[in-house]
Amino acid sequence: MRVKNADPAAIVPPRVAVRTWVAIALFTAFALVPVLAGWLDDPFLLVTATRIVVFALAAMALDLILGYGAMVSFGHAAYLGIGAYAVAILSSYGITDLGLHLLAALVVSAIFAAITGGISLRTRGVYFIMITLAFGQMAYFFFVSLSGFGGDDGLTLRQRSTVFGQPLLENDLALFYIALGFLVALFGFSAALVRSRFGRVLTGTRENRIRMQAIGFSPFPYQLTAFVISGCMTSVAGVLLANQSEFVSPAFMNWHRSGELIVMVVLGGIGNLTGAIGGAIIALLLEDWLAVLTQHWRLFFGLFLVLVVLYAPGGMTGLIRRIMGRAP
Amino acid sequence: MTSLFLLQLLNGVQFGVLLFLIAAGLTLVFGIMDFVNLAHGVLYMVGAYLMAAFTMITGSFAAGLLLALAATLVFGLALEFLVFRRLYERSHLDQVLATFGLVMIVNEGVKILWGTAPLTVPMPTLLSGSIPLAGPLQYPVYRVAIIAAGLVTALGLWLVINHTRIGMLLRAGASHRSTVSALGVNVSRLFTLVFAVGAMLAGFAGAIISPILSVDTGMGESVLILAFVVIVIGGIGSIRGAFLGALLVGVVDTLGRSFGPILLRTIMDPAAASQTGRTLAPMVVYILMAAILFARPAGLFGRNTS
Amino acid sequence: MSVPLLSARNLHKAYGALQVTDDLSLEIIEGELQAIIGPNGAGKTTLIAQLSGQLRPDSGQIAYEGRDITRLKMHERVRLGMARSFQITSILPGFTMLENVAMAVQARSGSSFRFFGSAARERALNEAAMAALAEVGLEDRAHRIAGPMSHGEHRQLEIAIALATKPRLLLLDEPLAGTGGEEAEHLVALFRRLKSRLTLVLIEHDMQAVFALADRISVLVYGRIIASGSPDEIRRDPAVRAAYLGEEVA
C-alpha cells in the first residue's frame, strides 16, 4: 500500500474551524450585551437580545434538518408553540418549575415530531414542504380551539417559570443569560452531532440519497431521528419565548412564523449552524429597524427577501465567500 | 337532520369547488414546473379585492367580474415576468423564500391600497334569493351558481387537458418533465401560459366568493394551505386528483365542523363533546391527509416520487 | 450443481406499454465474471436496478444464495454482500474522496446512531477507506473534494466505494463509459485483479474489455437474453452476430 499521508486517521476536516470561531465571537458579543445596555441605559436592548437569542436557537435547530438534512420543514413554528404552551398550561395548573416545563415540551414535541415526521418523510421535495406546512397549521388550529387556554387570543402568564422554586427568571438579566446558556450548549451539541457518525449519514443523505442506499443505509430512521431532535430543540426555544414575552398565543405557530424561521436560516446561509444564528440576528434587527421607520415594514421586508433570493444566493455565508473569492 | 345534512353537504361541495379553482392552477405549477408557489393564495385575495373595487366603480357585478379577471391575469403575468421566471431553475428553498417575500409584499400592499377594514361586495340581484331544495328547505341561488361555475370550469379544464395539444403537453409535462422540452416545445411560453391560467382561476375563485365572504387580507392564507392539502391528497400535477381532493376536503371540512360535535355526543357527555368537537373539527382534514398519505405517499393520482 | 450466488427467474418489468425486462432468467455463479451486453435500450440498467433492489420487478423472483430477496430493498441487499456502481456517476459530491469511502465503511461497521465523537477521526474507518482508495489508485487524492474531480476519477471512486462495503458480488453498470485510454486500461487491470476474489457482473459497451475479462457473456436484446455462454460461443453465435455484434468482433 502506497499511502502518502503518514497517518490518515489523524485528519481533521479544516472546514469547521472558521465557523466555530465566528460562533464564539457572536456568543461573546451576546454575553456583553447587558454591559452595553447598562452603558446606554437602554433596558429594551436586553429584551431584544433575549428575543434574538431565543430565535437563534430555533433557527439553529431548523438548520440541523434543513441545512444538513435537506428537509425543508415549513411547520417548525409548531414546536415553538408546543414549548410555549407547555409553560402556559402547566403554569395554569400551578406547576411552575422550568425543568418540568422543559420536560413536558420535549416529550410532547418528540411525539408530535415522530408522528408527523414519520408521515412527511415518506415523501420528498415539494410534498414534504406542503405536508409539514399542513401539519404546522393543524397544530395551530389545535391551540386556537383550546378555549380554556385563551383560544385565539392566547393567554398572559401570571409568572415566569421558576428554577428550584426560585423566581429567578423574573430577573431579565438572568433570563437572558439562561437563554444564552441554552443557545451555547445546544450549539455545542449540534456541532458535535453534525460531525458524528449520525451527522455524516444525515449529510450524506442530503448529498445523494441513492448513493447512501447503495452502500447499505436506509435514510428514513436517521432523517426521522434528526427531525425529532430538531423539533425538541425548537420547543426549548418555545419555552424560553413564553418566559420572555410572558404571553402565549396560537400566533406563535402561525405559518408566517415557520416562514420566518426559514428566512433566518437562509439569510445566514444554510448548513453551518453559525449562519442560522447570524440570520436570526439580521432578520430580527432588520424587522425592528423597519418597524421603527414605517408601519408597512412587511412590504420592505418582503422586498428584501425577494432581492436576497434573486441577487444574493447562499445568504450571508454565500456573500462572505464571494467577497473572499471562494466558490459558494 | 337529513335536511341539515343535505344543506351542509351542498355547502361542502360549494367550498370544494372553490378549493378546486385555487388548487387546479397550483397543482399544474407544482407538477410541471416543480415550483413551490406560496404566493398563489395572494392571487385569490387580489381577485376578491379587485372584484370589490371594480363592482364599486362600475356598479355592475358582471362588468366587475370581467374587469377583475382581466386585472388578476395582468397581475399574475407581471409576477411571473418579474419574479417567478427567475426562480424555476432555483432550489425549492429559494422558491419558498422568494414567494414568502411576495406574500408579505402583496398583503401589505393591499393594506396600503384598501386599508385593513374588510370590504363587502353586493350580491347581484339576478342571483340573490333562494330556490326550494326539498320540502321546506331553501338553498341560496348564489351558492348554486358558484357550484355550477366551478363545475363548468372543471369540465372546461378536463376538455382542454384531455382533448387538445396543449393539454397533451401539460399531461406529459406533469408526469415526465424533461420530455416536454425534448418535444421541441417552447417551455417557457408553456410555463407562462400555465401560470396565467392558474392565476386567473385563483382570481376567479376570489371574485365569485366575495359576495358571500368578507374580503380581507388574511383570506388568501387559510385557503392556500387547504389548497396544499388538496394537492397533496390528489397527487401533484393531477387535475383529476385536485378535483376529487378539493371536493373531499370541502365536504369533510364542512361536515366535520357541523356534525363532529353531534356525532361525538353519542359517545360522550354534551359539554365534553362540544369542546372535543371544536378541537377536532379543524384538524379533520389534516388527519384525512395524513391517513391518505400513509396509504399512498404520492397522493390518490400522483406519480410515485420514491 | 451448486446453488448460484445470484439468480433471477422470469423477471418482468414494464414502463407503461414498454416491456423493458421480458421474462428474463439469469444465473450468476460464484467466482465468475459474467458480462451482460446488448444494444442501447436493451434494458441493461433496468436489469441491474432490479438485481440491486433499486427497482422492484413487476413479477418474477431474485434469489441470493438460494434465498428469495425479491422484496428486499437496496440497502438490505448491500448487507448481504451485494454492491453496485452506477451508470451515471453517483457519489457524495461535497464530501472528500476519503469521506465518500469512509461512509461506506461506516455502513458495515457498527451502529451509525452515534451522536458524539467525530466520525472524521475514527481511525478504523479512515484506514479501511484508505485501503479501498489505494486499491483503485486514488490514495494520493484522498483529501480532495470529490465533486470537482475528473470523470475518470469519479469512476474509480465509485469502485472504491463499492469495494469498501466488502461485497461478495459486485454489479458494475458501464464502469468504463466515458473513460479514455489509460484510465480504461487501469480499470480493466483492476477488474482482472478483483476477479480472483469477487463475483462480478459487468455491463459494458467496450467489447474489447468484455471479451478480455468475461468468463461468461449474456446478450440482452429488448429485455430478453437471446444467448448466454463463453466468449467464444458468443462470438460464434449467429443470432448474436445478426442482432448485435455485427462485424465488430469478427
Side-chain angles (χ1 to χ4, degrees):
Chain A
M1 201 165 87
R2 296 170 290 125
V3 180
K4 288 186 182 164
N5 202 304
D7 186 1
I11 304 306
V12 181
R15 296 174 276 167
V16 182
V18 180
R19 294 168 192 168
T20 311
W21 282 115
V22 174
I24 291 171
L26 286 176
F27 294 147
T28 314
F30 272 129
L32 295 175
V33 165
V35 181
L36 185 67
W39 274 345
L40 298 175
D41 195 24
D42 181 3
F44 195 70
L45 192 59
L46 194 60
V47 176
T48 307
T50 311
R51 252 173 54 99
I52 291 177
V53 166
V54 168
F55 278 101
L57 173 54
M60 187 179 78
L62 179 59
D63 189 32
L64 206 54
I65 56 167
L66 191 153
Y68 289 89
M71 294 173 253
V72 183
S73 166
F74 210 129
H76 246 50
Y79 301 98
L80 271 183
I82 290 172
Y85 271 91
V87 176
I89 293 176
L90 286 181
S91 294
S92 75
Y93 288 108
I95 303 166
T96 58
D97 186 67
L98 180 65
L100 291 174
H101 291 168
L102 284 169
L103 184 68
L106 292 176
V107 170
V108 176
S109 304
I111 294 169
F112 184 68
I115 295 170
T116 61
I119 294 167
S120 319
L121 282 170
R122 288 163 62 85
T123 67
R124 280 190 287 289
V126 185
Y127 273 102
F128 184 82
I129 297 173
M130 288 196 285
I131 294 162
T132 49
L133 175 58
F135 280 129
Q137 199 68 1
M138 180 173 100
Y140 171 77
F141 282 127
F142 176 78
F143 284 102
V144 166
S145 75
L146 287 185
S147 47
F149 299 98
D152 219 350
D153 301 325
L155 104 143
T156 306
L157 298 186
R158 252 172 288 152
Q159 56 171 17
R160 289 178 174 168
S161 307
T162 54
V163 182
F164 302 116
Q166 302 302 311
L168 184 64
L169 299 188
E170 298 297 339
N171 181 329
D172 283 343
L173 192 64
L175 178 65
F176 172 74
Y177 278 115
I178 283 180
L180 185 59
F182 272 109
L183 177 65
V184 173
L186 288 172
F187 176 81
F189 170 80
S190 306
L193 188 79
V194 298
R195 294 168 64 203
S196 71
R197 277 182 162 223
F198 177 82
R200 259 199 183 177
V201 178
L202 198 62
T203 3
T205 306
R206 171 192 74 190
E207 296 273 312
N208 187 341
R209 183 185 186 88
I210 301 280
R211 169 39 76 197
M212 293 298 281
Q213 289 168 330
I215 58 177
F217 285 108
S218 166
F220 180 79
Y222 298 95
Q223 290 190 312
L224 183 59
T225 307
F227 193 83
V228 171
I229 291 174
S230 169
C232 287
M233 277 171 62
T234 312
S235 77
V236 173
V239 168
L240 295 169
L241 184 63
N243 275 295
Q244 187 267 323
S245 50
E246 296 176 71
F247 170 73
V248 300
S249 102
F252 283 21
M253 45 201 354
N254 184 295
W255 73 282
H256 274 263
R257 192 59 96 187
S258 296
E260 278 166 32
L261 289 179
I262 295 181
V263 166
M264 290 172 191
V265 177
V266 178
L267 276 186
I270 63 169
N272 66 59
L273 301 177
T274 311
I277 299 172
I281 300 174
I282 296 167
L284 291 174
L285 287 183
L286 185 67
E287 251 181 56
D288 283 355
W289 179 63
L290 285 174
V292 170
L293 294 183
T294 162
Q295 71 173 112
H296 299 297
W297 61 273
R298 283 190 185 84
L299 182 84
F300 296 96
F301 195 81
L303 206 59
F304 173 72
L305 289 184
V306 174
L307 293 177
V308 165
V309 172
L310 292 183
Y311 299 107
M316 288 304 136
T317 312
L319 213 58
I320 291 167
R321 283 194 185 152
R322 273 195 299 282
I323 290 167
M324 290 169 70
R326 275 187 281 163
Chain B
M1 182 76 181
T2 325
S3 55
L4 180 63
F5 181 79
L6 195 64
L7 207 68
Q8 293 294 355
L9 188 68
L10 277 174
N11 281 342
V13 170
Q14 180 253 298
F15 186 41
V17 156
L18 194 76
L19 284 176
F20 168 71
L21 290 176
I22 298 159
L26 197 54
T27 197
L28 287 178
V29 169
F30 281 141
I32 296 170
M33 310 181 203
D34 194 30
F35 178 68
V36 191
N37 183 11
L38 299 175
H40 197 74
V42 148
L43 295 164
Y44 166 79
M45 173 187 74
V46 165
Y49 269 97
L50 290 171
M51 180 73 181
F54 286 123
T55 45
M56 199 152 79
I57 294 169
T58 62
S60 148
F61 179 85
L65 182 60
L66 280 178
L67 286 171
L69 276 184
T72 316
L73 179 65
V74 171
F75 181 70
L77 283 174
L79 284 186
E80 205 270 347
F81 183 76
L82 290 174
V83 183
F84 293 153
R85 66 172 50 181
R86 299 159 193 252
L87 295 172
Y88 295 143
E89 300 297 315
R90 303 288 283 274
S91 70
H92 288 149
L93 198 56
D94 281 346
Q95 296 167 353
V96 163
L97 208 64
T99 55
F100 182 65
L102 276 181
V103 171
M104 295 179 92
I105 295 174
V106 180
N107 273 346
E108 204 60 40
V110 162
K111 271 185 205 162
I112 294 173
L113 279 176
W114 283 288
T116 47
L119 305 182
T120 51
V121 173
M123 178 85 64
T125 36
L126 191 66
L127 296 173
S128 53
S130 298
I131 51 166
L133 204 59
L137 201 61
Q138 303 268 311
Y139 200 71
V141 176
Y142 193 77
R143 284 180 187 264
V144 176
I146 291 180
I147 294 176
L151 293 180
V152 168
T153 313
L155 184 69
L157 275 178
W158 181 80
L159 286 174
V160 168
I161 285 186
N162 287 295
H163 296 280
T164 65
R165 183 179 144 74
I166 283 182
M168 187 270 289
L169 290 174
L170 291 182
R171 273 179 295 142
S175 48
H176 306 281
R177 208 169 312 118
S178 52
T179 54
V180 177
S181 48
L183 291 172
V185 176
N186 184 335
V187 179
S188 93
R189 199 176 303 158
L190 184 70
F191 282 9
T192 310
L193 180 78
V194 170
F195 196 85
V197 173
M200 207 160 70
L201 288 177
F204 180 55
I208 60 171
I209 201 67
S210 59
I212 54 174
L213 213 70
S214 72
V215 178
D216 62 46
T217 46
M219 68 185 287
E221 310 199 339
S222 49
V223 292
L224 174 75
I225 294 168
L226 281 180
F228 283 172
V229 173
V230 165
I231 291 167
V232 166
I233 287 178
I236 290 179
S238 165
I239 289 283
R240 188 163 52 140
F243 185 69
L244 288 177
L247 287 183
L248 196 63
V249 168
V251 169
V252 166
D253 190 54
T254 310
L255 291 185
R257 281 170 203 273
S258 48
F259 290 99
I262 297 174
L263 283 178
L264 284 171
R265 217 169 291 161
T266 59
I267 52 167
M268 50 176 83
D269 70 280
S274 139
Q275 171 59 40
T276 317
R278 263 207 309 279
T279 308
L280 282 181
M283 295 167 67
V284 169
V285 286
Y286 301 102
I287 295 168
L288 175 76
M289 175 191 82
I292 287 176
L293 279 178
F294 197 77
R296 295 184 62 97
L300 294 176
F301 296 97
R303 61 174 188 270
N304 209 339
T305 49
S306 56
Chain C
M1 198 182 136
S2 65
V3 181
L5 184 60
L6 185 75
S7 66
R9 240 183 325 164
N10 309 109
L11 291 188
H12 288 267
K13 180 82 194 174
Y15 291 128
L18 184 67
Q19 196 73 36
V20 277
T21 305
D22 189 4
D23 197 30
L24 184 149
S25 296
L26 182 78
E27 287 192 348
I28 313 289
I29 309 298
E30 175 126 44
E32 74 170 11
L33 188 155
Q34 182 166 159
I36 296 172
I37 61 173
N40 283 323
K44 301 187 296 286
T45 294
T46 313
L47 175 61
I48 288 274
Q50 290 170 82
L51 294 179
S52 67
Q54 193 184 0
L55 277 180
R56 175 97 36 102
D58 297 337
S59 66
Q61 275 111 46
I62 300 168
Y64 183 80
E65 290 189 293
R67 175 188 163 193
D68 187 353
I69 58 164
T70 317
R71 305 188 73 81
L72 288 194
K73 299 200 172 96
M74 183 150 67
H75 66 93
E76 293 165 323
R77 297 186 198 193
V78 176
R79 289 188 204 140
L80 296 177
M82 295 172 63
R84 67 171 292 191
S85 75
F86 290 85
Q87 184 186 7
I88 296 162
T89 303
S90 179
I91 55 166
L92 310 172
F95 281 37
T96 66
M97 308 284 259
L98 182 71
E99 286 167 342
N100 262 280
V101 186
M103 195 80 249
V105 180
Q106 186 184 320
R108 62 165 170 81
S109 59
S111 169
S112 283
F113 275 99
R114 283 191 214 157
F115 302 101
F116 299 100
S118 166
R121 292 190 208 210
E122 279 193 50
R123 180 178 291 268
L125 297 186
N126 289 341
E127 280 175 357
M130 214 61 186
L133 281 175
E135 179 110 45
V136 302
L138 285 175
E139 70 277 25
D140 54 339
R141 279 150 281 179
H143 300 292
R144 306 267 286 274
I145 300 288
M149 303 299 276
S150 76
H151 177 72
E153 286 163 325
H154 284 161
R155 304 310 298 187
Q156 286 168 282
L157 176 61
E158 273 219 35
I159 310 289
I161 293 171
L163 289 177
T165 65
K166 289 272 182 262
R168 282 174 66 192
L169 172 67
L170 185 53
L171 308 169
L172 297 164
D173 193 354
E174 295 194 26
L176 301 178
T179 59
E182 204 180 320
E183 283 169 339
E185 276 171 35
H186 188 84
L187 284 169
V188 169
L190 171 65
F191 298 147
R192 191 167 283 135
R193 283 202 306 279
L194 293 178
K195 246 179 89 166
S196 60
R197 59 185 168 96
L198 292 179
T199 308
L200 290 137
V201 174
L202 175 68
I203 286 185
E204 194 42 68
H205 278 300
D206 181 338
M207 287 306 134
Q208 215 180 337
V210 165
F211 280 88
L213 286 168
D215 301 310
R216 190 139 67 113
I217 297 175
S218 295
V219 183
L220 193 63
V221 177
Y222 294 124
R224 288 168 166 273
I225 290 189
I226 60 164
S228 188
S230 71
D232 279 340
E233 288 165 356
I234 293 299
R235 203 175 279 141
R236 284 194 300 267
D237 191 309
V240 175
R241 297 179 77 118
Y244 178 47
L245 288 176
E247 297 305 304
E248 232 176 299
V249 287

